[in-house]
Amino acid sequence: MSLTELTTLEQWEAVLHQTNERPAVILKHSTTCPVSSNAYNEFMSYLQDTPRTDVDYYLVKVIESRPVSNEIAEAIQIKHESPQVLMIDKQANYWNTSHWSVTKAHMAAVLD
């Protein structure tokens, strides 16, 4: 399963509009945080197994791409947290979790 990094507001806008047709799962990741590093590893472990194929998967590095991270929180009206996994469907928050709740088992239970 491929993971696309979102680095520009234009990329984010395209993803948001595409959620009208196909949901998106986004990991908001801080490259300086140990909790986020753990969440990233859990997310990648989930992707290495057999995740849902009817959604697209994205990564946003919250420090390096702060405008994108902020716009996601504003667009779907959800408090920013990091690490955070969001499932967006029809341009709205469908599901999210953060911090130590970002686990392969939790994602599989909700997303699969």
Side-chain angles (χ1 to χ4, degrees):
M1 188 59 47
S2 71
L3 178 64
T4 304
E5 184 175 351
L6 300 178
T7 58
T8 69
L9 291 173
E10 293 79 14
Q11 288 174 315
W12 158 244
E13 287 294 326
V15 167
L16 181 62
H17 290 292
Q18 187 172 347
T19 65
N20 286 321
E21 306 297 323
R22 187 175 166 94
V25 174
I26 300 171
L27 171 64
K28 292 174 81 173
H29 169 55
S30 171
T31 54
T32 62
C33 171
V35 176
S36 196
S37 178
N38 183 74
Y40 176 84
N41 291 336
E42 291 284 327
F43 191 80
M44 294 308 290
S45 180
Y46 172 77
L47 290 182
Q48 287 173 358
D49 276 359
T50 51
R52 287 178 58 173
T53 57
D54 63 333
V55 300
D56 295 316
Y57 297 91
Y58 299 95
L59 172 70
V60 175
K61 294 178 181 172
V62 298
I63 295 171
E64 295 84 345
S65 300
R66 188 170 307 280
V68 176
S69 177
N70 291 342
E71 185 59 30
I72 291 170
E74 186 173 320
I76 63 170
Q77 300 179 341
I78 189 160
K79 180 184 173 211
H80 162 77
E81 298 191 67
S82 174
Q84 185 175 43
V85 174
L86 308 142
M87 182 173 189
I88 302 167
D89 192 19
K90 310 255 185 292
Q91 298 192 29
N93 176 48
Y94 177 81
W95 169 79
N96 72 86
T97 193
S98 65
H99 296 88
W100 291 108
S101 294
V102 178
T103 65
K104 177 181 176 181
H106 190 182
M107 287 182 285
V110 172
L111 300 175
D112 291 348

